[in-house]
Amino acid sequence: MSTTNQWNAFVMTVGYLVATAGPLPVGSLRDRVGDFSVSTWCLVGVTGVMLPLTPFWRRLAGKKKPPCVEHEGQVLENLPSFSAISRRT
């Protein structure tokens, strides 16, 4: 198994574990409060914290460029939109 496949499997496993753990606290909050308002505000709060941090994540990752894609022998940098590919066909 290649390193890329191993990394992909690891990331997907962690993502699914986090996603499956989410309903438990949300359901617990709903049982205590009686509706989903607290859970919704928690989601809004997490989003409010994550959005301002997004520009800094690239700096923390070492300013790595996104991977390039090769299409019909031509290198398409920075994962362009599909419209750029479909216009040529």
Side-chain angles (χ1 to χ4, degrees):
M1 182 182 263
S2 74
T3 305
T4 305
N5 288 340
Q6 291 173 344
W7 182 249
N8 187 25
F10 170 74
V11 169
M12 287 184 67
T13 300
V14 171
Y16 277 113
L17 288 174
V18 170
T20 57
L24 188 63
V26 169
S28 177
L29 282 171
R30 192 225 180 263
D31 287 344
R32 291 173 193 232
V33 177
D35 62 3
F36 288 105
S37 62
V38 175
S39 299
T40 303
W41 282 111
C42 287
L43 180 63
V44 170
V46 168
T47 303
V49 170
M50 289 177 65
L51 280 176
L53 293 176
T54 302
F56 302 106
W57 287 340
R58 180 170 244 180
R59 282 188 230 152
L60 293 174
K63 296 183 180 180
K64 296 178 184 173
K65 287 182 74 175
C68 298
V69 173
E70 187 173 326
H71 177 69
E72 296 177 358
Q74 180 183 7
V75 175
L76 306 171
E77 293 197 22
N78 300 334
L79 300 174
S81 64
F82 288 106
S83 62
I85 296 171
S86 62
R87 275 188 255 134
R88 294 182 0 171
T89 57

